């Protein structure tokens, strides 16, 4: 009897093992070969305000993007993500929307938008819009109504706290000099919530009516033919409307000591994303991308596991937060560690081994220029380090999000005075330091290499003429003086330019599925100078070597590259003895 029982147990165990091996093989397959257009795409992000001005007001516009469509197509990208172009008073450059179904006056008209969409589709390009629905502008009709009286039908479109209950518990307001996320409104003797500036009141997602308004607005844009949404701080939409006191101990214990992690943990967040998927996203072949504020490796799949039917992708902040010195506002340490950098990207790659799909980026409108931050913007290294970073972005697993201007190696603005800055965040931080009696000069210095968002927002450098060919008049934000040397026109003529390297890289990714779906393996992980990894798919294997330092360096990969074929290299001839020159990058086919 005992023998029979133990035989049965063994058989049962074996069955279980077989089932789970099969399951994980199926999942492995799903992660790598379940093809989708948005997995294969290279996304090019355009900051419309700074791209091209055609009507001479110093602000970029939709006609400017239309004018440059052939240029965009020539890059070999597939999708364009536009930062917000809706009606807005521009407290935060369009991230404060006053009308979701109109076009910002400075950018043009709905006819311009239709022409832009048509022009893109004719060229096989897809258009992704920015969806900013954690908050609206305080000039949105909903808020104008909401603040009128406590019984206004729009009152519950926002989060209000009646003053007779005392001061509400602290919540951070990112763009306020006093740091508070609540603002007192005299008209109804109440406070309203704003996680960003007081001009950006948070919408109340707990109200089903508000959610329906949003879904119908999204459907309206999809019916117009857009191809997806990038969703601004979407993890923050759901709130615990009791607004309990959150102590530092609680933050430390449950939220990694971070407010963004707390704010990304609202009680109904995933119910709402699933509802949005049912009511909107599932009806179209579109892509959806979460700006993953507060997203962790442990929570990412809650957003993008395809079985949960929420979103396609998210982008995390761990890579771009690396190297900031604690206690300062985005002050960059010159000694950031490549070993940590590699660990972050490798850990995030592992999240999507079996399910979901990742993203990769180094710059965007909220970041300094990638070359200044992760490469080297000194004249002798600027071009080569830009190309090295482009090699990284386009050879990693995950959809690459590539920021306009990086393809010509634009670098930080490095403004010398606060008056040159336009960004609400930098100005608020400056005020904070002023109020605290801190070192303002040092702050301005730190922003040259650190996180001032205007570093990445200066107008696109089209040519060497006044205003860089961006505008015929003085632009809303200064053009970088180096436009005389760094510009698209000059680089068009040079086959070895940063621009033409980017084109080669997009083509290489397109023609080598191993670069899209291939399994990623980190090599020589403790090497402080070189990032080395392989990508493998269906018998094809490539080795990527990236020297992140200004010195010669080698990597111990254990791979013999003597017989390999060089697919791309950012110097004229790649080394075959494994020694890399400063910022050298090579992809070998093994
Ligand atoms: C994230 C956006 O990328 C940033 O530019 C904006 O200021 C905040 N969200 C608030 O909308």
């Amino acid at each position: 009897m005992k023998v029979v029982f133990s035989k049965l147990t063994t058989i049962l165990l074996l069955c279980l093992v077989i089932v789970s091996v099969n399951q994980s093989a199926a999942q492995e397959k799903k992660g790598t070969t379940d093809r989708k257009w948005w997995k294969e795409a290279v996304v090019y992000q355009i900051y419309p305000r700074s791209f091209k001005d055609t009507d001479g007001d110093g602000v970029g516009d939709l006609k400017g993007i239309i004018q440059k469509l052939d240029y965009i197509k020539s890059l070999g990208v597939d999708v364009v993500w536009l930062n917000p172009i809706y009606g807005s008073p521009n407290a935060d450059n369009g991230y404060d929307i006053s009308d979701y179904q109109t076009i910002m006056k400075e950018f043009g008209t709905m006819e311009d938008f239709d022409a832009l969409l048509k022009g893109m589709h004719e060229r096989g390009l897809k258009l992704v819009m920015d969806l900013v629905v954690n908050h609206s502008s305080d000039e949105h009709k909903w808020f104008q109504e909401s603040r009128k009286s406590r019984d206004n039908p729009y009152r519950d479109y926002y989060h209000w706290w009646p003053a007779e209950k005392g001061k509400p518990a602290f919540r951070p307001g990112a763009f306020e000099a006093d740091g508070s996320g609540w603002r007192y409104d005299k008209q109804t003797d109440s406070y309203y919530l704003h996680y960003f500036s007081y001009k950006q009141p948070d919408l109340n997602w707990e109200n089903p009516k508000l959610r329906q308004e949003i879904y119908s607005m999204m459907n309206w844009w999809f019916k117009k033919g857009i191809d997806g949404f990038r969703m601004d701080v979407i993890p923050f939409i759901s709130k615990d409307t009791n607004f309990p006191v959150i102590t530092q101990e609680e933050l430390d214990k449950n939220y990694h000591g971070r407010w963004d992690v707390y704010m990304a943990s609202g009680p109904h967040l995933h119910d709402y994303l699933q509802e949005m998927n049912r009511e909107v996203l599932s009806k179209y072949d579109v892509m959806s991308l979460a700006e993953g504020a507060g997203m962790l490796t442990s929570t990412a799949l809650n957003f993008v596991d395809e079985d949960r039917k929420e979103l396609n992708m998210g982008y995390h902040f761990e890579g771009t937060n690396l190297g900031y010195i604690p206690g300062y506002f985005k002050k960059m340490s010159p000694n950031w560690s490549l070993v940590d950098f590699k660990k972050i990207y490798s850990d995030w790659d592992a999240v999507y081994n079996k399910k979901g799909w990742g993203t990769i980026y180094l710059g965007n409108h909220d970041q300094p220029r990638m070359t200044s931050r992760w490469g080297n913007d000194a004249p002798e290294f600027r071009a080569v380090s830009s190309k090295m970073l482009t090699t990284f972005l386009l050879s990693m697993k995950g959809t690459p999000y590539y920021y306009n201007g990086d393809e010509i190696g634009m670098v930080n603005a490095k403004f010398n005075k606060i008056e040159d800055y336009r960004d609400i965040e930098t100005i608020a931080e400056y005020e904070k330091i002023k109020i605290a009696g801190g070192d303002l000069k040092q702050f301005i210095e730190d922003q040259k290499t650190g996180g001032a968002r205007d570093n990445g927002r200066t107008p696109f450098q089209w040519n060497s003429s006044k205003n860089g060919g961006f505008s015929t008049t003085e632009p809303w934000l200064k053009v970088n003086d180096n436009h005389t040397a760094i510009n698209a026109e000059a680089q068009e003529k040079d086959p070895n330019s940063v621009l033409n390297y980017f084109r080669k890289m997009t083509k290489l990714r397109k023609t080598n599925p191993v670069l899209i779906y291939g399994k990623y393996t980190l090599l020589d992980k403790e090497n402080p100078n070189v990032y080395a990894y392989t990508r493998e798919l269906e018998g094809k294997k490539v080795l990527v070597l990236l020297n992140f330092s200004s010195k010669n360096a080698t990597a111990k990969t254990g791979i013999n590259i003597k017989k390999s074929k060089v697919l791309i290299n950012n110097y004229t001839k790649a080394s075959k003895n494994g020694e890399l020159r400063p910022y050298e990058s090579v992809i070998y086919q093994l």
Side-chain angles (χ1 to χ4, degrees):
M1 182 65 185
K2 240 186 181 174
V3 176
V4 173
F5 185 72
S6 90
K7 266 196 177 159
L8 265 178
T9 323
T10 319
I11 291 169
L12 208 72
L13 272 174
L14 265 175
C15 286
L16 273 176
V17 169
I18 290 167
V19 167
S20 88
V21 165
N22 273 347
Q23 250 177 13
S24 81
Q27 282 174 345
E28 192 81 34
K29 194 159 178 253
K30 202 171 180 197
T32 52
T33 55
D34 179 20
R35 296 184 62 170
K36 289 274 186 292
W37 63 263
W38 44 265
K39 293 183 182 175
E40 296 176 15
V42 175
V43 181
Y44 181 67
Q45 181 194 347
I46 292 184
Y47 197 63
R49 209 173 176 74
S50 296
F51 197 61
K52 173 75 189 161
D53 171 25
T54 56
D55 60 2
D57 62 356
V59 173
D61 44 51
L62 299 189
K63 284 206 169 88
I65 304 174
I66 295 174
Q67 208 181 84
K68 295 294 180 185
L69 279 178
D70 289 334
Y71 168 82
I72 297 164
K73 180 70 189 170
S74 80
L75 298 175
V77 299
D78 311 277
V79 175
V80 171
W81 153 28
L82 292 184
N83 288 99
I85 55 168
Y86 317 91
S88 166
N90 277 312
D92 183 21
N93 290 0
Y95 283 96
D96 49 321
I97 297 170
S98 52
D99 189 338
Y100 289 94
Q101 279 159 263
T102 58
I103 300 296
M104 189 190 300
K105 287 200 180 63
E106 290 163 295
F107 288 174
T109 62
M110 198 53 84
E111 286 69 50
D112 296 338
F113 175 82
D114 293 337
L116 174 63
L117 186 60
K118 188 162 172 275
M120 283 199 181
H121 285 169
E122 278 167 3
R123 288 168 180 79
L125 293 166
K126 293 189 188 277
L127 176 60
V128 165
M129 304 268 283
D130 220 306
L131 182 79
V132 190
V133 289
N134 172 68
H135 46 269
S136 72
S137 161
D138 65 341
E139 297 181 34
H140 193 291
K141 184 191 89 190
W142 298 337
F143 190 74
Q144 298 287 307
E145 285 298 315
S146 185
R147 77 186 332 173
K148 277 186 185 157
S149 68
R150 288 189 180 190
D151 57 6
N152 186 285
Y154 289 91
R155 187 67 171 177
D156 287 344
Y157 275 42
Y158 296 87
H159 295 284
W160 291 98
W161 181 271
E164 63 272 17
K165 279 171 72 180
K167 266 198 157 186
F170 176 79
R171 291 293 179 272
F175 303 154
E176 292 301 325
D178 69 1
S180 170
W182 291 102
R183 187 164 177 105
Y184 178 70
D185 205 42
K186 206 161 150 235
Q187 211 164 338
T188 57
D189 191 29
S190 305
Y191 296 84
Y192 66 85
L193 182 73
H194 59 83
Y195 279 171
F196 294 90
S197 86
Y198 79 92
K199 297 279 297 168
Q200 296 162 290
D202 279 41
L203 288 161
N204 179 9
W205 274 71
E206 320 307 323
N207 177 354
K209 255 170 119 184
L210 178 270
R211 300 203 300 275
Q212 284 309 321
E213 298 255 23
I214 298 208
Y215 303 150
S216 85
M217 174 271 286
M218 291 173 74
N219 276 316
W220 184 84
W221 281 103
F222 281 130
K223 285 193 182 121
K224 249 183 175 307
I226 69 161
D227 302 290
F229 277 120
R230 171 268 184 192
M231 305 185 177
D232 191 65
V233 290
I234 200 77
F236 292 179
I237 54 176
S238 172
K239 276 106 184 164
D240 177 347
T241 51
N242 294 318
F243 296 107
V245 171
I246 305 293
T247 60
Q248 189 58 46
E249 292 72 59
E250 205 171 331
L251 274 186
D252 292 343
K253 196 165 148 236
N254 300 327
Y255 305 102
H256 299 252
R258 284 164 46 186
W259 273 107
D260 60 334
V261 176
Y262 170 77
M263 297 192 294
S265 314
H268 301 295
L269 165 62
H270 293 288
D271 299 334
Y272 300 155
L273 292 178
Q274 282 165 20
E275 184 181 72
M276 178 196 280
N277 187 294
R278 276 196 309 277
E279 305 250 339
V280 188
L281 301 171
S282 60
K283 299 182 188 166
Y284 318 91
D285 179 21
V286 292
M287 65 168 252
S288 51
L289 166 76
E291 185 200 20
M295 196 188 249
L296 306 168
T297 47
S298 56
T299 58
L301 284 181
N302 294 342
F303 295 81
V304 301
D305 171 348
E306 39 291 86
D307 294 336
R308 289 173 60 93
K309 300 201 173 5
E310 296 190 19
L311 306 175
N312 299 144
M313 295 172 271
Y315 70 84
H316 64 84
F317 284 62
E318 286 181 16
T320 47
N321 279 343
L322 177 73
Y324 283 140
I325 304 173
Y328 292 85
F329 172 71
K330 296 184 184 172
K331 176 174 174 158
M332 190 64 185
S333 161
N335 303 317
W336 62 273
S337 140
L338 182 70
V339 173
D340 291 347
F341 184 94
K342 293 190 278 190
K343 180 167 176 1
I344 291 171
Y345 288 97
S346 304
D347 288 352
W348 276 91
D349 178 80
V351 168
Y352 306 114
N353 261 346
K354 298 199 170 98
K355 299 193 116 190
W357 185 253
T359 61
I360 195 101
Y361 77 105
L362 289 174
N364 62 35
H365 64 294
D366 290 333
Q367 301 296 332
R369 283 286 171 187
M370 70 171 186
T371 302
S372 298
R373 186 147 177 222
W374 307 112
N376 190 328
D377 60 14
E380 66 273 33
F381 295 131
R382 185 193 59 84
V384 75
S385 68
S386 297
K387 291 175 187 172
M388 185 274 290
L389 296 171
T390 291
T391 314
F392 169 66
L393 288 170
L394 274 76
S395 65
M396 282 292 280
K397 196 167 165 196
T399 300
Y401 287 77
Y402 200 91
Y403 186 52
N404 64 183
D406 284 344
E407 78 272 27
I408 57 166
M410 281 175 65
V411 299
N412 278 1
K414 302 191 181 177
F415 292 135
N416 286 317
K417 46 184 198 310
I418 191 69
E419 292 74 23
D420 287 338
Y421 283 102
R422 298 285 171 270
D423 181 24
I424 187 171
E425 181 181 58
T426 308
I427 294 168
E429 291 301 322
Y430 185 89
E431 279 308 306
K432 267 186 208 167
I433 294 172
K434 200 166 157 187
I435 293 165
D439 189 341
L440 292 169
K441 260 199 174 148
Q442 189 59 45
F443 174 78
I444 294 290
E445 272 319 295
D446 295 344
Q447 293 316 302
K448 294 182 184 175
T449 49
R453 305 194 297 182
D454 283 343
N455 277 321
R457 295 178 178 182
T458 58
F460 196 99
Q461 296 167 203
W462 293 106
N463 59 41
S464 60
S465 69
K466 196 162 177 246
N467 305 322
F470 163 71
S471 175
T472 51
T473 188
E474 195 183 323
W476 71 278
L477 182 67
K478 271 190 175 175
V479 177
N480 197 316
D481 288 340
N482 65 20
H483 68 273
T484 48
I486 304 170
N487 63 69
E489 192 178 278
Q491 294 191 25
E492 285 288 357
K493 297 174 202 142
D494 174 4
N496 291 320
S497 64
V498 177
L499 174 60
N500 282 317
Y501 187 87
F502 177 60
R503 289 181 172 133
K504 281 181 211 149
M505 236 1 263
T506 54
K507 194 162 167 206
L508 193 70
R509 189 174 174 91
K510 275 280 119 64
T511 47
N512 285 277
V514 65
L515 292 176
I516 299 169
Y517 292 110
K519 178 172 173 285
Y520 159 93
T521 309
L522 175 66
L523 306 171
D524 198 9
K525 76 174 195 224
E526 298 302 330
N527 190 319
N529 301 314
V530 180
Y531 197 160
Y533 48 93
T534 52
R535 304 287 313 275
E536 276 171 87
L537 181 75
E538 289 155 5
K540 224 180 168 188
K541 186 167 177 179
V542 300
L543 168 69
V544 183
L545 296 182
L546 309 164
N547 181 0
F548 272 73
S549 82
S550 57
K551 307 254 157 50
N552 284 8
T554 46
K556 288 199 197 79
T557 62
I559 294 174
N560 185 351
I561 51 170
K562 290 255 152 36
K563 290 202 183 106
S564 64
K565 180 177 160 202
V566 173
L567 294 180
I568 195 160
N569 171 227
N570 63 349
Y571 277 73
T572 29
K573 202 164 185 308
S575 82
K576 278 261 171 135
N577 63 9
E579 169 139 291
L580 299 165
R581 286 154 285 185
Y583 299 105
E584 181 162 8
S585 57
V586 200
I587 305 183
Y588 300 95
Q589 186 174 306
L590 302 172

